[in-house]
Each structure stands twice: as structure tokens, then as C-alpha cells.
Amino acid sequence: MRIDVLGAVRAFHDDGSPVGLGGPRHREVLARLVAAEGRMVTTDTLVDDLWTDPPARAVGALRTFVAALRRALEPDRPPRDPPRVLVTEGPGYALRLPREDVDVHRFQDALARARHHPDAVTGLGTELAAWRGPAYADVTGSEWARRERTRLEELRLEGVELRARILLDSGEGAGLVAELGAHVAEHPWREPAWGLLARALHRAGRQADALATLRRARAMLVDRLGLDPGADLQRLETDILNGYVPAERTRTAWTGPGARLGPRTTVDLARTLALAGGDALVHSRRDRLAAVRAAERTGDPALTARIIGAYDVPALWSRADDPEQCRTVVATAERTLTALGPDGPADLVARLLATVAVETRSADASATELTRARQAARQAEALARDLGDPALLAFALDGVFLHSFARPGLATVRDGIGAEILDLATRYGLPNFAVLGRLVRLQSASALGDLDAATTHAEAAEQLAATTEAPLVPVLTGWFRARVTAARSTGPGGPTAATAAAHYRTAEDSLRTAGMPGLHRGLFPLALLGLRLLHDRPAPTDPHLDWGPYRPWTLPLVLLAENRAEEARAALATAPEPPPDHMQEALWCLTAHAAAHLGERATAARAVAALRDARGEHAGAASGLLTLGPVARFLAEAEACAGTGEPG
């Protein structure tokens, strides 16, 4: 039989007749086993992959799906004979089919052969042509499928470029112009693709068009990104002008030890794009991951370390926009550290450690991951100081900052980190880290209630952003100014609460398309809740509000506002401890407030213990984006509920 997943999931019997696979869950089980490439997948893993919130009888449902698939895949199997295709193995299931009977496995094997044996290019072309759409196209909403689609799409793009390069190197390829033109149009940041298109045009006798293609590549890089083309494209232009294009000069570095151009150029582009926000930021993450994967495939750990470490984009927020991608980068960095060994180059080791720290965001990580990330941050900082490398030290300190939320009440510590980043950036001409330093100090001053100092840092950050073309900065400072308006709405002669809400709404509109879902989700409702608490009003109850990651801590107050006290009590009992991130003081204060209103003394006591060191700070203001008011207010009501308090 045959199974295809490069497009919608489908299966065929030996005679070519289609296999009736059943409903979406049946196809997803089969697809997940295909993705395991013959390895056993445990029942627990399958349940977690199939359901975000598994039902009580998930294991039973899974067994039903497996039984139905077995009947469909082996309709003639006698009842007492064991399955031969979808087998039970240990605590799970595995798919037992020859690799040539599964399209995705055939494709991966053809790509691997072509990497080492150019004569295998025909087979690679055949498998590329067999793609019918995105892999696992009809498995929607599943994280495992999204990861596999991303991985396989990168392999497909590599395969397109590898095939073109092999054909051009062998003297063929004039017929590739249309294919490569479409490839470049869809993936304009893959610099090697531009070179391949220019070569194909030159091979077809279209020298002027080849040169025009290289000029387009240059214009895109220079005008939109401020970067010159890489050395290989520049040499190719010279060769075409001279009428001679030697194959060895146009080989890009997506495979093979000693790689130079491909991944590095891509990650440089991604680094620049990341500072632009919006769609560019989203594309930068995709291109960065593609470069990292391409580098690791070369088998050269030093190259991989350089590619990973080159993406030293300053990070300000403790919740990732793409947690899964962050974990992938961290895992690659850890493997590369192991490959380099204890005697690896100190600068590469430091950059890898700093990457582990920066990419392991505290709001998304487990306790074990956080411990490792904090250790990596301090190791990177120590190495950078020993090396005397200011840019590397600034990057390492970014990691230290992101892990400086171990407990509430550390705004002064973070201000010291921000001050050192700003000093390094000012003395050594690191404008992007100067912006980071200003924003860190803005957040710290905001947390301490020093709005004048925070405003000074906001204005300085905006001035820097105007010269470094960092459009995300005004988005963040716009939120800060809304936070100031909210704080001042409680004072005599200050703006009204409605004015403050309107400012938050304007800030929300600017953030919506900024490409930062880790920051965006739940922020606006939380800001509105803070504003209502400032004015002693109940939580907003609009059912359309998306509380995002903050829902466990806001739900008790929403239920209280709806006079559903017992449900609020149950929600408070199940709310977890707030993660160690920018919002931990805010979430603890929400817990304290709900506990005080519900008379839950034990929960109030826990909140008191957590918040005691943050008494002089403002809840939520460590974000620089919103405020719930002074922590002391929430601490006092929790102390009253718990029967504790400051000594008289």
C-alpha cells in the first residue's frame, strides 16, 4: 500500500484504490505515526498531540481510531492475525511500512542522496514534483503538525535550490527560469535563490535579464534592508559581465562543511528584519530558523554556532511570540555546545549560552528550563567580561535581564542591568542595545512609580528609534503614555477614566499588527481591568475580551463582577502561581484582591508572602505598559484578610 502526506493525508491499496481513512481524527493518528518515521509513539503522546484539553475517555477514543484504521489499512487480515501495518509496540503504536511506500520518506531520502550524489538529481526532481500542497494540509490546529509543516517546507525549499544548483553545475538548467522566478518571488530573502535565477537566465542566453535580476536583488537588499549583497552575488555579477560563470563560484553554502554564504546571509537579513516589526518580524523568525537548521545540517558546529549567535536581536519581553520556535533554537544551541565541547572557542560558547538565556522566556519555560537559562545567562556574562567584548556583553546582559524576575520586588536590580546595557551601548556604538537599555530603564522606573524618569527614558528611546529605524519603539512608548494617563486619572484635575481607556484603545490598535503575539494577547483587557481597579470598579465582563495567558488570574474577578462568588472561589483555588515574568506582581495582586473579597485567608497569606518585597512598587508597571496601582494597596487588603500585617 501507499501513504501520502505531502498535501492532504491519503492512502491507497496496492491496486491503486483509495483507502477510506475515516474522519479527521483517524487521519491525524495515521499522520502522526507517519511523522514518527517508524518509531513508536506512546499513547500519552498521541493523546496530548490530538487534544489540547484531552477528554476523560481520550485513551479509549484513541484505541477506537486505531482499530478503525487497522480495518481500513488491512481489510483482508484474518481476525486473529496480528496487525502488520499499524502495530502495537510497548506503551504505544508504530507504523510499519517500507520508506518507499510513504511520500514524505521518499522525498527526504531523495534529498539526502542528492546532497552527496549529484547523479541522484532526477529522483529529487520526481519527489519535488509529487508535493500536492503543504505537508499534512488537512491536519489543522495541531501543534505537532505545524512543526512538521515548517520543517518539511524548509527541506522542500532546500531541495528546489539544490536541484537547480546541480543542474546548473552540470551545464543544464536553462529551463529553470520560470521555476526559479516563482521561487524568488515567494521567498525573496533567500539570497542563494537570486544567484540561481541569475545563472539560469545567463544559461538561457539572457545576460541582460540575469544582470537585471542581480540589480533587483541588490535594490531589495540595499533599499529595504540597508545591506549589500553577499560576496558570492557580487562575484556572480562580475562573472556575468565578463560572460563567464564558473560553477564553483556560484555554489552556495546550504550544505557541506565549511559553509559560508547561505545561512549566514539569511540570518543577517533576519536580524535586520526583526527590528522592523509587523510582517517583517514574522518573516525574520521564519528565515532565522531556516538558517539555523541549514547550518546544523552542514555538520560544522563552529558554523552553526556563528549562525545561531549572529541573531543577537535585543529582547525586552519575558513571553515569547513563538515558544515552539524558541525551544527549537535552544535545543539546537545546546546540541552545538555539546559538539563544540568544553574547549570550544570562548566567543562562540558565550553567544550560544546567551542565546539559550534569551530564547528561554520565563513566562513559557518550566522550572528546569529556567534554572538552565539563568545559569547560561551568568556563564555568558562571565565569558563576555573575560573576552572584553562589549557587544557580546550587552547580548549576555539581555539574557540576565530576561531572567531577573525570579521573585517580585526586583525593579531596582533590573534598573542596574539596564543602566549597564545603556552605558555599553553608548560607549561602543551599539544603537539597538541603547534602545534596549532605555526601555529596560523605562520599565524599572515605571515599576518604582517614578513617571518623570520613565518619561525621560521613553523620549530618549524614541529619539534613538528615529535614527535606527525601529518602529516597534513608538508602539511600546505609546502604551507607556497610556499607562501614565491611567495613573493620573485618579488624581484631582487629572484625565478621566474614559480618556485613559481611549488611550489604551489607541495603543492596542498600534500593537495589533506589530508581530508580537506574546506581548499582545490579553494585554488590553488586563489594562482595562487595571484601570477599573484604580477607580474601585469591578472587572469588565465583556465576553468578547480575550484575556489570553492572564485568564487564570483574572477569571475570579470577572466572576465576582457577575455575582458568581462560588464559581469565583473555585477559579481562585485552581489559579496557578504566577510565572516569574513582567506581570508577576500584577497577577499576585489580582490573586490578593480576589482572596480578600472572598475571605480566602490561606490564598491571601500566600499573596502576602510573595508581594512583601514589592511593597514600594506598582502592580503591572514593570511592563512599562499598564498599571493596577500601588502594590501596597493590594498587600494591605491581603494582610487584613490573612490576619497579618506590618508590626506596629
Side-chain angles (χ1 to χ4, degrees):
M1 65 174 304
R2 175 178 110 234
I3 294 177
D4 295 343
V5 298
L6 298 179
V9 178
R10 62 186 190 181
F12 298 91
H13 293 297
D14 287 343
D15 61 3
S17 60
V19 175
L21 294 176
R25 291 296 192 195
H26 298 78
R27 292 196 300 277
E28 184 172 357
V29 171
L30 181 63
R32 181 62 184 85
L33 294 174
V34 167
E37 300 196 39
R39 296 183 297 274
M40 181 270 292
V41 183
T42 67
T43 297
D44 288 346
T45 297
L46 285 167
V47 167
D48 288 343
D49 284 343
L50 260 66
W51 290 281
T52 303
D53 185 14
R57 298 181 178 178
V59 173
L62 173 62
R63 289 173 178 158
T64 300
F65 299 151
V66 169
L69 283 170
R70 283 171 168 166
R71 289 192 297 271
L73 296 173
E74 298 182 74
D76 299 325
R77 177 173 58 89
R80 296 185 181 277
D81 284 7
R84 292 177 292 110
V85 177
L86 202 171
V87 303
T88 300
E89 184 176 296
Y93 301 100
L95 193 65
R96 292 283 181 258
L97 277 179
R99 290 183 66 83
E100 61 267 22
D101 291 340
V102 182
D103 63 349
V104 66
H105 300 161
R106 287 198 308 273
F107 163 70
Q108 291 180 98
D109 293 347
L111 179 59
R113 285 192 296 271
R115 285 173 182 152
H116 300 97
H117 304 289
D119 291 345
V121 68
T122 301
L124 175 59
T126 299
E127 298 307 327
L128 283 168
W131 281 65
R132 297 169 290 111
Y136 307 103
D138 53 346
V139 182
T140 57
S142 294
E143 186 60 27
W144 76 264
R146 188 190 66 80
R147 290 196 303 269
E148 275 296 287
R149 270 193 293 273
T150 300
R151 181 183 73 86
L152 291 167
E153 176 62 11
E154 169 56 28
L155 292 181
R156 187 186 71 81
L157 297 178
E158 180 194 343
V160 169
E161 292 169 8
L162 176 61
R163 173 176 171 268
R165 185 168 67 246
I166 291 172
L167 292 175
L168 288 165
D169 287 351
S170 66
E172 302 178 35
L176 291 170
V177 170
E179 177 185 331
L180 288 171
H183 180 66
V184 164
E186 187 175 358
H187 307 284
W189 309 119
R190 294 179 75 90
E191 188 170 340
W194 288 95
L196 291 168
L197 175 58
R199 288 184 65 195
L201 287 163
H202 184 265
R203 182 63 47 77
R206 298 166 58 181
Q207 182 180 20
D209 289 339
L211 292 171
T213 292
L214 294 173
R215 285 195 295 272
R216 282 170 52 212
R218 178 187 297 277
M220 182 198 67
L221 295 171
V222 173
D223 295 346
R224 296 176 62 181
L225 301 175
L227 298 175
D228 288 324
D232 280 20
L233 281 191
Q234 294 181 46
R235 282 195 297 268
L236 178 59
E237 185 173 17
T238 300
D239 289 337
I240 291 176
L241 285 167
N242 293 330
Y244 174 60
V245 186
E248 64 273 12
R249 285 198 178 181
T250 52
R251 285 185 177 271
T252 56
W254 290 92
T255 58
R260 291 189 299 112
L261 173 63
R264 180 57 194 247
T265 303
T266 300
V267 85
D268 286 341
L269 295 179
R271 184 182 184 279
T272 304
L273 283 169
L275 303 171
D279 289 342
L281 175 56
V282 175
H283 288 309
S284 83
R285 296 192 197 105
R286 180 199 66 190
D287 293 343
R288 182 264 187 109
L289 186 59
V292 168
R293 285 172 166 162
E296 189 176 30
R297 285 196 298 270
T298 68
D300 183 343
L303 170 68
T304 306
R306 287 196 297 275
I307 297 306
I308 293 172
Y311 194 86
D312 55 352
V313 176
L316 181 71
W317 193 242
S318 48
R319 186 177 295 278
D321 297 318
D322 188 340
E324 189 58 40
Q325 183 178 119
C326 287
R327 291 189 182 95
T328 299
V329 172
V330 168
T332 308
E334 294 283 21
R335 288 194 297 270
T336 307
L337 281 166
T338 300
L340 287 175
D343 299 321
D347 61 328
L348 297 183
V349 170
R351 285 195 171 273
L352 289 170
L353 289 167
T355 299
V356 169
V358 170
E359 297 294 333
T360 306
R361 302 299 175 88
S362 54
D364 309 299
S366 67
T368 301
E369 290 168 334
L370 283 178
T371 298
R372 167 56 178 157
R374 290 171 184 148
Q375 175 192 50
R378 291 302 182 186
Q379 289 175 330
E381 179 191 2
L383 284 170
R385 292 190 190 282
D386 289 343
L387 290 165
D389 184 333
L392 179 54
L393 179 56
F395 185 37
L397 287 172
D398 191 6
V400 174
F401 160 71
L402 288 170
H403 295 281
S404 61
F405 298 88
R407 58 178 175 80
L410 295 176
T412 302
V413 172
R414 290 193 290 277
D415 190 55
I417 298 169
E420 183 172 7
I421 292 173
L422 182 58
D423 178 63
L424 284 167
T426 303
R427 284 193 288 135
Y428 295 101
L430 306 170
N432 294 326
F433 282 100
V435 171
L436 174 67
R438 287 292 185 187
L439 293 176
V440 169
R441 300 207 68 189
L442 179 159
Q443 290 180 341
S444 305
S446 171
L448 295 168
D450 189 346
L451 297 184
D452 290 338
T455 299
T456 298
H457 290 304
E459 291 171 349
E462 288 167 342
Q463 291 171 3
L464 285 166
T467 59
T468 59
E469 298 184 1
L472 294 178
V473 170
V475 174
L476 300 176
T477 55
W479 270 92
F480 165 70
R481 288 187 168 81
R483 171 260 188 272
V484 173
T485 304
R488 290 178 175 162
S489 70
T490 61
T496 65
T499 298
H503 283 212
Y504 274 137
R505 175 69 71 180
T506 300
E508 154 73 357
D509 289 342
S510 68
L511 183 58
R512 190 182 305 278
T513 58
M516 296 186 287
L519 176 62
H520 178 245
R521 281 205 67 214
L523 190 63
F524 179 61
L526 190 61
L528 290 184
L529 172 57
L531 181 61
R532 294 176 75 91
L533 291 174
L534 286 171
H535 290 270
D536 297 316
R537 297 186 62 192
T541 57
D542 182 349
H544 298 103
L545 288 175
D546 176 11
W547 294 97
Y550 310 117
R551 187 176 186 276
W553 300 276
T554 58
L555 181 59
L557 295 177
V558 172
L559 292 169
L560 275 172
E562 296 174 336
N563 296 315
R564 298 157 65 184
E566 290 310 308
E567 292 174 73
R569 198 181 308 279
L572 180 63
T574 59
E577 186 166 307
D581 64 4
H582 278 84
M583 290 299 186
Q584 63 176 331
E585 286 91 352
L587 302 184
W588 271 119
C589 286
L590 296 179
T591 299
H593 191 60
H597 277 261
L598 290 164
E600 292 290 332
R601 297 184 61 182
T603 302
R606 284 195 301 116
V608 168
L611 289 170
R612 190 171 284 124
D613 291 342
R615 187 181 297 274
E617 297 186 14
H618 288 244
S623 65
L625 308 173
L626 56 84
T627 182
L628 279 60
V631 170
R633 170 194 172 190
F634 297 94
L635 191 53
E637 62 180 359
E639 287 171 338
C641 175
T644 61
E646 292 287 294

